[in-house]
Amino acid sequence: MTSEFDLIGHIRSRVRTRDNVVLGIGDDAALLRVPPGHDLVVAMDTMNVGVHFPPDTDAASIGWKALAVNLSDLAAMGAQPTWCTLSLSLPESNAAWLDGFLDGFLALATQHDCALVGGDTTRGPLSICVTVHGLVPHGTALRRSGAQVGDDVWVTGTLGDAAVALAEWQRQSREALLHHSREDGNAGATALRHSLERANPASSSTLRHRLDRPTPRVEIGLALRNVATACIDLSDGLVQDLGHLLAASRVGALLDVGAIPGTAPRDARLAGGDDYELCFTAPPAHRDHLAALATRIGHIDAQPGLRLNDATPPPRGWDHFR
Ligand code: ADP
Ligand code: MG
């Protein structure tokens, strides 16, 4: 059994520092220096087992996704990631699991030069809470509230893939559960796990990879400073998240459903969660150079609310408490 301090020591031995970290892991708190002329951008997101990722998700993917969903929030603000903190609640002190988790977490942290500077380690149901810090030059942060009538609506990447992967995982779980419901105790549980692993090898499925290893659109967020009028990242589905942007901007939008990128069915592209793509608005003058970064799916108008050009009502997005 490894102690809390062994676990923290191990984390500390694997992290890299960067500029403006005056003091990282090891004291009561970290000391960070915000360079002159910049605003500090802070975001936090929690991931709970069974709610934010399927229980069979590998440790490295959990580590990756815990940081990715947070970096996605910084991307949506147009911020350059700099530092992060990590609160880990673990059911047991498992050094091998922690190492796998850190493989995923630190691979993405290194990609974005985001230094892990502190955190907390406790015992409890598996839950990961990450805080990210980033920088923007004064006055250049992207917000949800700036969309203007006449702007185009854009999204990055493809939408709905993660929702399709999640639905497939749920279908396979139900099937495996039915199949093994007559076997007892541990033998049944082990057989269930094995058949899930066979049916769903995480690495062999591109869609599952979209669910487990989202790509935060940090570079695109930076390119949108002084270009986008409003921006939000898509965690709960396009309809719901764009709805937040429209409400904050006090405008409406008309979307061309057929233009929403991806191979997933209509409702998954419109309302599937967990994509971590960016949705933003920009004046038509930027069309030509934005076409290399994103897909244009509609435009902003003055009538509040979201309208679709195919006359079918929009599906609803994800709500934890509904
Ligand atoms: P304290 O009791 O003063 O809150 P801790 O023993 O919780 O301190 O943590 C000691 C040091 O290790 C602190 O610098 C803290 O930020 C860091 N730390 C603890 N857990 C983690 C973690 N999961 N990831 C990164 N740093 C951590
Ligand atoms: Mg202390």
Coordinates of all heavy atoms in Angstrom, one line a residue, residues 41-46 66-67 70-71 74 82-87 105 114-119 128-134:
V41 N -7.1 33.9 -16.6 CA -8.3 33.2 -17.0 C -8.4 31.9 -16.2 O -7.4 31.1 -16.3 CB -8.4 32.9 -18.5 CG1 -9.7 32.3 -18.9 CG2 -8.1 34.2 -19.3
V42 N -9.4 31.6 -15.4 CA -9.5 30.4 -14.6 C -10.7 29.6 -14.9 O -11.8 30.2 -15.0 CB -9.5 30.8 -13.1 CG1 -9.5 29.6 -12.2 CG2 -8.3 31.7 -12.7
A43 N -10.6 28.3 -15.0 CA -11.7 27.4 -15.2 C -11.6 26.1 -14.4 O -10.4 25.7 -14.1 CB -11.9 27.1 -16.7
M44 N -12.7 25.5 -14.0 CA -12.6 24.3 -13.3 C -13.7 23.3 -13.8 O -14.8 23.7 -14.0 CB -12.9 24.5 -11.8 CG -13.1 23.3 -11.0 SD -13.7 23.7 -9.3 CE -12.2 24.0 -8.5
D45 N -13.4 22.0 -13.9 CA -14.3 21.0 -14.3 C -14.0 19.7 -13.5 O -12.9 19.3 -13.4 CB -14.2 20.8 -15.8 CG -15.4 21.4 -16.6 OD1 -16.5 21.4 -16.0 OD2 -15.2 21.8 -17.7
T46 N -15.1 19.1 -13.1 CA -15.0 17.8 -12.4 C -15.4 16.7 -13.3 O -16.3 16.8 -14.1 CB -15.9 17.9 -11.1 OG1 -15.5 19.0 -10.3 CG2 -15.8 16.6 -10.3
A66 N -9.7 14.5 -18.3 CA -9.9 15.5 -17.2 C -9.2 16.8 -17.5 O -9.7 17.9 -17.1 CB -9.3 14.8 -15.9
L67 N -8.0 16.8 -18.1 CA -7.4 18.0 -18.5 C -8.0 18.6 -19.8 O -8.2 19.8 -19.9 CB -5.9 17.8 -18.7 CG -5.1 19.1 -19.0 CD1 -5.2 20.1 -17.9 CD2 -3.6 18.7 -19.2
N70 N -11.0 20.8 -19.4 CA -10.7 22.1 -18.9 C -10.0 23.0 -19.9 O -10.3 24.2 -20.0 CB -9.8 21.9 -17.6 CG -10.6 21.6 -16.4 OD1 -11.1 22.5 -15.8 ND2 -10.7 20.3 -16.0
L71 N -9.0 22.5 -20.6 CA -8.3 23.3 -21.7 C -9.3 23.8 -22.7 O -9.1 24.8 -23.3 CB -7.2 22.4 -22.3 CG -6.0 22.1 -21.4 CD1 -5.0 21.2 -22.2 CD2 -5.3 23.3 -20.9
L74 N -10.6 27.0 -21.6 CA -9.7 28.1 -21.9 C -9.7 28.4 -23.3 O -9.6 29.6 -23.7 CB -8.2 27.7 -21.4 CG -7.9 27.6 -19.9 CD1 -6.4 27.3 -19.7 CD2 -8.4 28.8 -19.2
T82 N -1.5 28.0 -19.0 CA -0.2 28.1 -18.4 C 0.0 27.1 -17.2 O 1.0 26.4 -17.2 CB 0.0 29.6 -17.8 OG1 -1.2 29.9 -17.1 CG2 0.3 30.6 -19.0
W83 N -1.0 27.1 -16.3 CA -0.8 26.2 -15.1 C -2.1 25.5 -14.8 O -3.2 25.9 -15.3 CB -0.6 27.1 -13.9 CG 0.4 28.2 -14.1 CD1 1.8 28.0 -14.5 CD2 0.2 29.6 -14.0 NE1 2.4 29.2 -14.6 CE2 1.5 30.2 -14.4 CE3 -0.8 30.4 -13.7 CZ2 1.7 31.6 -14.4 CZ3 -0.7 31.8 -13.8 CH2 0.6 32.4 -14.1
C84 N -2.0 24.4 -14.1 CA -3.2 23.6 -13.7 C -3.0 23.1 -12.3 O -1.8 22.9 -11.8 CB -3.6 22.6 -14.7 SG -2.3 21.3 -14.9
T85 N -4.1 22.8 -11.6 CA -4.1 22.0 -10.3 C -5.0 20.8 -10.4 O -5.9 20.8 -11.2 CB -4.5 22.9 -9.1 OG1 -5.8 23.5 -9.4 CG2 -3.5 24.0 -8.9
L86 N -4.8 19.8 -9.6 CA -5.4 18.5 -9.8 C -5.9 18.0 -8.4 O -5.1 17.7 -7.5 CB -4.4 17.5 -10.4 CG -4.8 16.1 -10.4 CD1 -6.0 15.8 -11.2 CD2 -3.6 15.3 -10.9
S87 N -7.2 17.9 -8.2 CA -7.7 17.2 -7.0 C -8.2 15.8 -7.4 O -9.0 15.6 -8.3 CB -8.9 18.0 -6.5 OG -9.5 17.3 -5.4
F105 N -2.7 12.5 -18.6 CA -2.8 13.9 -18.1 C -1.6 14.7 -18.6 O -1.7 15.8 -19.1 CB -2.9 13.9 -16.6 CG -3.2 15.2 -16.0 CD1 -4.5 15.6 -15.7 CD2 -2.2 16.1 -15.7 CE1 -4.9 16.8 -15.1 CE2 -2.5 17.4 -15.2 CZ -3.8 17.7 -14.9
C114 N 1.5 23.3 -20.1 CA 0.6 23.7 -19.0 C 1.2 23.0 -17.8 O 1.1 21.7 -17.7 CB -0.8 23.3 -19.3 SG -2.0 23.8 -18.0
A115 N 1.8 23.7 -16.8 CA 2.5 23.1 -15.7 C 1.5 22.7 -14.6 O 0.7 23.5 -14.1 CB 3.6 24.0 -15.2
L116 N 1.6 21.5 -14.1 CA 0.8 21.0 -12.9 C 1.5 21.6 -11.7 O 2.7 21.2 -11.4 CB 0.7 19.5 -12.8 CG 0.0 18.9 -11.7 CD1 -1.5 19.4 -11.6 CD2 0.0 17.4 -11.7
V117 N 0.9 22.5 -10.9 CA 1.6 23.2 -9.9 C 1.0 22.9 -8.5 O 1.5 23.5 -7.5 CB 1.5 24.7 -10.1 CG1 2.3 25.1 -11.4 CG2 0.1 25.2 -10.2
G118 N 0.0 22.0 -8.4 CA -0.5 21.7 -7.0 C -1.7 20.9 -7.1 O -2.2 20.5 -8.2
G119 N -2.3 20.6 -6.0 CA -3.5 19.8 -6.0 C -3.9 19.3 -4.6 O -3.4 19.8 -3.6
I128 N -12.3 13.3 -10.3 CA -11.1 14.1 -10.7 C -11.6 15.5 -10.9 O -12.5 15.7 -11.7 CB -10.4 13.6 -11.9 CG1 -10.0 12.1 -11.7 CG2 -9.2 14.4 -12.3 CD1 -10.8 11.1 -12.4
C129 N -11.0 16.5 -10.2 CA -11.3 17.9 -10.4 C -10.1 18.6 -10.8 O -9.1 18.5 -10.1 CB -11.9 18.4 -9.1 SG -12.4 20.1 -9.3
V130 N -10.1 19.3 -11.9 CA -9.0 20.0 -12.4 C -9.3 21.5 -12.5 O -10.4 21.9 -12.9 CB -8.5 19.5 -13.8 CG1 -7.4 20.3 -14.4 CG2 -8.1 18.0 -13.7
T131 N -8.3 22.3 -12.1 CA -8.5 23.8 -12.4 C -7.4 24.1 -13.4 O -6.2 23.7 -13.2 CB -8.2 24.6 -11.1 OG1 -9.1 24.1 -10.1 CG2 -8.5 26.1 -11.3
V132 N -7.7 24.9 -14.4 CA -6.7 25.4 -15.3 C -6.6 26.9 -15.2 O -7.6 27.6 -15.0 CB -7.0 25.0 -16.8 CG1 -6.6 23.5 -17.0 CG2 -8.4 25.3 -17.2
H133 N -5.4 27.4 -15.5 CA -5.2 28.8 -15.5 C -4.6 29.2 -16.9 O -3.7 28.4 -17.4 CB -4.2 29.2 -14.4 CG -4.6 28.9 -13.1 ND1 -4.6 27.6 -12.6 CD2 -5.2 29.7 -12.1 CE1 -5.1 27.7 -11.3 NE2 -5.4 28.9 -11.0
G134 N -5.0 30.3 -17.4 CA -4.4 30.7 -18.7 C -4.3 32.2 -18.7 O -4.8 32.9 -17.8

